[in-house]
């Protein structure tokens, strides 16, 4: 029942946005009593936090799979993860928005904290592997590299979801897509 409620909540989220997601709506969508979500999640914050945790686990898996598919070259792995990041956002816009922009989440919930930490570790590992030389990078260098990579792809994903890239892509040669534009952005040297 818990999984059915999470699946129902995600359907509502993708169809109606965060504003349409309530405990009653999740129960109705799942075809269960109105008390069922409260029994499993406590309150709406519990439901959306568990849904976001599920999203972060799937997100981390997508990033990891993209990195593995690219083999050993650290730059290629990080670029593949960037593409996977944007693809996840495009495929699950409601869930992505909930995961990264919702004040409804309870970051103290163990499942959400663990899932967020795991996703951050996937990105951090790719950034660390990209560091030149044999010396371990400083904590500040690692943090700066992770934030740089994250800001680049997260910003692109948000611009894509907000349809802010449509005009730019329309001005490019025929056949150019947002994915083509992302590939070019990823080729640009980091500043």
């Amino acid at each position: 029942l818990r999984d059915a409620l999470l699946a129902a909540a995600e359907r509502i989220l993708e169809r109606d946005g965060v504003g349409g997601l309530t405990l009653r709506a999740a129960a109705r969508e799942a075809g269960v009593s109105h008390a069922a979500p409260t029994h499993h999640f406590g309150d709406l914050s519990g439901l959306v936090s568990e849904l976001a945790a599920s999203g972060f686990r799937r997100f981390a898996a997508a990033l990891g799979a993209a990195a593995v598919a690219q083999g050993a070259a650290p730059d290629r792995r990080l670029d593949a993860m960037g593409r996977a990041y944007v693809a996840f956002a495009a495929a699950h816009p409601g869930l992505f928005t909930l995961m990264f922009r919702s004040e409804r989440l309870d970051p103290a919930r163990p499942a959400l904290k663990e899932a967020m930490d795991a996703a951050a570790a996937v990105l951090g590992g790719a950034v660390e592997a990209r560091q030149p030389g044999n010396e371990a990078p400083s904590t500040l260098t690692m943090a700066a590299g992770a934030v740089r990579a994250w800001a680049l792809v997260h910003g692109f994903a948000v611009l894509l979801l907000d349809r802010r890239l449509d005009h730019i892509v329309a001005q490019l040669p025929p056949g150019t897509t947002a994915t083509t534009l992302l590939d070019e952005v990823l080729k640009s040297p980091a500043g």
Side-chain angles (χ1 to χ4, degrees):
L1 182 56
R2 182 181 187 284
D3 291 341
L5 285 164
L6 287 172
E10 187 170 354
R11 285 192 302 274
I12 293 166
L13 189 62
E14 295 301 342
R15 182 183 65 228
D16 303 330
V18 173
L21 181 55
T22 65
L23 291 177
R24 283 190 174 269
R28 191 171 35 256
E29 181 83 15
V32 299
S33 78
H34 293 300
T38 302
H39 173 73
H40 288 279
F41 305 105
D43 57 11
L44 184 59
S45 179
L47 173 63
V48 296
S49 295
E50 291 298 322
L51 182 57
S54 171
F56 274 112
R57 286 189 292 274
R58 290 170 25 210
F59 177 69
L63 296 181
V68 168
Q70 284 303 310
D75 286 342
R76 290 178 51 202
R77 282 196 313 240
L78 200 55
D79 287 352
M81 289 173 67
R83 286 183 202 89
Y85 191 110
V86 173
F88 184 92
H92 310 284
L95 182 59
F96 181 84
T97 300
L98 176 73
M99 289 163 53
F100 289 103
R101 296 195 328 207
S102 180
E103 294 77 36
R104 293 175 147 187
L105 300 180
D106 177 4
R109 286 186 80 93
L112 180 57
K113 182 174 177 0
E114 289 169 15
M116 290 172 72
D117 289 349
V122 171
L123 175 61
V127 170
E128 185 175 2
R130 191 175 180 188
Q131 298 300 317
N134 296 330
E135 291 184 29
S138 72
T139 304
L140 179 59
T141 300
M142 283 296 303
V147 168
R148 183 180 304 113
W150 185 23
L152 179 73
V153 295
H154 188 80
F156 191 96
V158 170
L159 290 169
L160 179 69
L161 294 182
D162 289 347
R163 305 198 60 105
R164 302 291 184 156
L165 298 176
D166 291 357
H167 180 71
I168 293 170
V169 171
Q171 302 300 313
L172 297 172
T176 303
T177 64
T179 302
T180 311
L181 180 58
L182 176 61
D183 288 342
E184 196 61 30
V185 167
L186 292 173
K187 287 181 196 175
S188 300

